[in-house]
C-alpha cells in the first residue's frame, strides 16, 4: 500500500498537521505502509506568511506551491490513497482534489479539525480571505472515500454530504512523548496557555478574571505561542513556542486554560490545548463550548465554565489547593490514556485505509 499525504504546512510547523498526520507516520512504518508527505508551503514562505509585509515573497511562495501541486498530479497513479489534511491549496477552487478524485479516480481520505467551511477572517489572513473558497469543504467531503473528523460537531456537518464520515479525535502519544506527570507540590503556582497567533485573541475573554485574581493572589501567567500576547497582567511571561521544548515548557504550568467564544467557529475546535494539559497531569479550566464539554469531564479532570464568575471561582480554587490540582491532574492523565491517546485510536486510524 502507498499513501500520499497532501498537507498545507511544512513538516513540524503546525499543530494540527503534526498531531493529525505526522505523529501517525511511525504507525504506518510499523505496518510497512509506504507514504510520502507533500506540503504546499515551503519552510521559507511559512516563516514570513503571517508577518507584515513580504508581499512579493508570499506571492512567489504561493506560485511555487501551486506549481508543486501540478507536478504532484503526475505522481498520483503510484498511490492507493490520497490523504488530504484540510485542503490541497490555500486559495481558489479545489482543482487538485477534483482531478485526484474524478480524473485519476483515487480514494481520497479527507481530514479536518476546524469548521473550515465558515469564514474566519483575521488581520493576518484578511488579504487572502477573499480568494479562499470556504464552500469547497462540502465538495471535498462529497468527493471523498472516507472523511476523518476531529469532533462530533464536524462529523455532523460531514454526514450531510458523505455517509462515510467518521470521528477521529486529535490524540497524543502518552507513552513516548506526553509521558510525564506535573508535580503540583511546588511553592509558586503558574497558570498558562499554549496556542498560536490565531487563537491568542481568545485570552482577552479571561483577562478581567486574571486581573481580578492578581489583586488577591501571587501567580505567574505563562503564554506559549508564536507571537507575544497583548495582555495587561502584572506577572505575564511569554515563551516562544518551540517544538523541541514544548513538553518542558508545558510542565511549567500548574493550571492550563482554554477560553473560547460561543461561536459556530469555536464549536469546530477539537479541545487540543485541554488535551495537552491533561496528558501531562495539568488540570484544565476551559470554556463550556463545543468539544470542550465532552473532552473535559467537568469536576473530574478540570472545569468547564460559562460565566466570568465560574472562571474566577474555579481558578481561585485551583490556585489555593495543590491537593485538588494533583487529584484532577492524575484523573486527566488517566482519561487521556483511555480516550485520547495514539494507542487508543491506532486501529481507528488504520481503518481509514481499508
Amino acid at each position: 500500500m502507498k499513501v500520499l499525504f497532501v498537507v498545507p504546512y511544512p513538516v513540524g510547523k503546525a499543530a494540527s498537521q503534526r498531531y493529525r498526520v505526522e505523529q501517525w507516520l511511525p504507525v504506518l512504518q510499523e505496518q510497512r505502509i509506504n507514504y510520502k508527505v507533500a506540503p504546499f508551503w515551503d519552510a521559507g514562505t511559512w516563516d514570513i506568511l503571517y508577518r507584515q509585509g513580504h508581499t512579493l515573497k508570499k506571492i512567489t511562495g504561493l506560485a511555487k506551491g501551486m506549481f508543486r501541486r501540478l507536478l504532484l498530479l503526475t505522481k498520483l497513479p503510484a498511490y492507493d490513497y490520497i490523504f488530504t489534511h484540510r485542503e490541497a491549496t490555500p486559495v481558489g477552487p479545489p482543482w487538485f482534489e477534483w482531478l485526484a478524485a474524478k480524473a485519476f479516480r483515487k480514494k481520497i481520505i479527507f481530514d479536518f479539525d476546524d469548521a473550515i467551511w465558515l469564514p474566519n477572517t483575521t488581520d493576518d489572513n484578511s488579504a487572502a480571505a477573499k480568494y479562499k473558497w470556504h464552500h469547497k469543504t462540502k465538495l471535498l467531503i462529497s468527493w471523498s472515500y472516507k472523511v476523518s473528523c476531529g469532533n462530533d460537531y464536524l462529523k455532523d456537518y460531514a454526514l450531510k454530504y458523505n455517509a462515510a464520515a467518521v470521528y477521529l479525535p486529535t490524540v497524543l502519544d502518552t507513552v513516548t512523548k506526553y509521558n510525564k506527570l506535573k508535580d503540583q507540590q511546588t511553592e509558586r503556582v503558574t497558570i498558562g496557555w499554549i496556542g498560536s497567533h490565531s487563537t491568542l485573541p481568545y485570552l482577552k475573554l479571561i483577562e478581567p478574571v486574571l486581573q481580578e485574581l492578581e489583586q488577591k493572589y501571587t501567580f505567574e501567567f505563562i503564554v506559549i505561542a508564536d507571537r507575544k500576547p497583548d495582555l495587561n497582567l502584572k506577572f505575564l511571561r511569554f515563551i516562544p513556542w518551540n517544538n523541541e521544548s514544548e513538553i518542558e515548557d508545558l510542565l511549567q504550568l500548574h493550571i492550563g486554560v482554554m477560553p473560547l467564544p460561543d461561536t459556530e467557529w469555536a464549536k469546530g475546535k477539537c479541545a487540543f490545548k485541554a488535551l495537552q494539559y491533561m496528558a501531562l497531569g495539568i488540570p484544565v479550566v476551559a470554556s463550556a463550548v463545543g468539544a470542550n464539554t465532552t473532552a473535559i469531564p467537568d469536576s473530574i479532570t478540570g472545569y468547564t465554565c460559562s460565566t466570568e464568575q465560574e472562571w474566577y471561582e474555579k481558578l481561585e480554587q485551583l490556585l489555593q489547593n495543590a491537593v485538588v490540582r494533583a487529584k484532577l491532574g492524575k484523573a486527566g492523565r488517566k482519561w487521556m490514556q483511555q480516550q485520547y491517546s495514539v494507542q487508543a485510536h491506532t486501529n481507528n486510524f488504520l481503518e481509514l485505509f481499508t
Side-chain angles (χ1 to χ4, degrees):
M1 186 190 301
K2 296 185 71 175
V3 180
L4 175 64
F5 287 94
V6 179
V7 298
Y9 318 114
V11 172
K13 298 295 184 179
S16 67
Q17 185 174 299
R18 286 187 297 122
Y19 288 95
R20 295 196 65 80
V21 174
E22 294 166 24
Q23 77 169 344
W24 289 114
L25 300 181
V27 172
L28 296 184
Q29 290 174 349
E30 291 173 2
Q31 299 295 317
R32 297 185 179 179
I33 296 174
N34 297 312
Y35 64 84
K36 175 182 174 63
V37 180
F40 180 88
W41 297 109
D42 60 64
T45 307
W46 175 252
D47 287 342
I48 54 93
L49 191 61
Y50 292 102
R51 297 182 190 175
Q52 293 290 332
H54 306 283
T55 302
L56 182 59
K57 288 184 178 180
K58 292 174 184 178
I59 294 173
T60 302
L62 178 67
K64 288 180 178 178
M66 291 293 187
F67 183 66
R68 281 192 292 271
R69 288 292 183 252
L70 282 171
L71 290 180
L72 195 59
L73 289 174
T74 66
K75 310 293 185 181
L76 293 189
Y79 294 93
D80 301 294
Y81 295 93
I82 313 298
F83 187 107
T84 302
H85 175 58
R86 297 176 71 98
E87 58 190 0
T89 57
V91 295
W95 56 270
F96 181 92
E97 294 95 332
W98 186 88
L99 288 170
K102 303 300 182 180
F104 289 88
R105 298 188 178 279
K106 290 297 176 179
K107 291 180 177 178
I108 308 295
I109 299 169
F110 178 59
D111 173 77
F112 68 127
D113 61 343
D114 272 320
I116 54 177
W117 66 90
L118 298 172
N120 184 46
T121 304
T122 66
D123 291 340
D124 294 307
N125 68 5
S126 58
K130 66 181 75 173
Y131 303 108
K132 294 184 72 68
W133 283 46
H134 296 287
H135 58 282
K136 71 182 176 183
T137 305
K138 63 183 180 183
L139 298 175
L140 302 182
I141 291 170
S142 66
W143 298 338
S144 294
Y145 171 66
K146 290 183 180 179
V147 184
S148 169
C149 311
N151 64 38
D152 287 328
Y153 178 78
L154 303 179
K155 179 184 173 183
D156 289 343
Y157 175 82
L159 284 172
K160 297 177 184 178
Y161 308 103
N162 192 327
V166 298
Y167 165 61
L168 183 64
T170 303
V171 296
L172 302 177
D173 183 349
T174 58
V175 173
T176 63
K177 188 173 183 180
Y178 287 79
N179 57 1
K180 297 181 180 179
L181 186 68
K182 172 65 181 180
D183 176 14
Q184 293 289 349
Q185 302 297 327
T186 59
E187 184 175 344
R188 188 173 179 86
V189 180
T190 299
I191 304 174
W193 178 93
I194 188 171
S196 69
H197 62 272
S198 64
T199 49
L200 262 176
Y202 297 159
L203 285 175
K204 285 290 184 180
L205 296 171
I206 61 169
E207 184 178 31
V209 174
L210 296 171
Q211 290 171 338
E212 188 176 355
L213 286 166
E214 281 185 332
Q215 303 306 311
K216 190 175 179 181
Y217 302 98
T218 300
F219 63 91
E220 191 173 44
F221 188 77
I222 292 178
V223 172
I224 305 167
D226 58 349
R227 186 177 299 178
K228 289 183 177 180
D230 177 23
L231 295 171
N232 184 20
L233 298 174
K234 293 179 183 177
F235 304 108
L236 173 66
R237 179 154 63 98
F238 168 61
I239 300 177
W241 178 84
N242 184 293
N243 189 31
E244 299 301 319
S245 64
E246 183 177 39
I247 302 300
E248 293 305 316
D249 292 338
L250 279 167
L251 284 168
Q252 296 185 53
L253 312 184
H254 295 81
I255 305 162
V257 296
M258 186 179 177
L260 285 176
D262 191 3
T263 63
E264 292 303 303
W265 175 262
K267 290 176 183 176
K269 292 293 181 183
C270 295
F272 181 63
K273 297 173 181 59
L275 301 182
Q276 288 183 284
Y277 305 143
M278 290 188 292
L280 295 171
I282 301 168
V284 57
V285 183
S287 298
V289 173
N292 285 358
T293 58
T294 54
I296 307 164
D298 191 45
S299 300
I300 298 174
T301 67
Y303 302 106
T304 52
C305 306
S306 299
T307 66
E308 283 192 2
Q309 183 62 31
E310 289 180 354
W311 271 95
Y312 183 90
E313 291 174 355
K314 300 309 181 185
L315 286 173
E316 181 179 47
Q317 178 187 8
L318 292 175
L319 281 170
Q320 292 178 313
N321 199 321
V323 174
V324 172
R325 293 198 305 269
K327 179 182 177 182
L328 295 177
K330 289 178 181 177
R333 174 156 178 79
K334 183 177 180 181
W335 167 255
M336 281 294 303
Q337 290 171 320
Q338 295 173 342
Q339 302 294 331
Y340 289 93
S341 67
V342 167
Q343 293 71 27
H345 286 276
T346 293
N347 289 339
N348 295 333
F349 175 74
L350 291 174
E351 284 177 5
L352 293 174
F353 305 98
T354 59

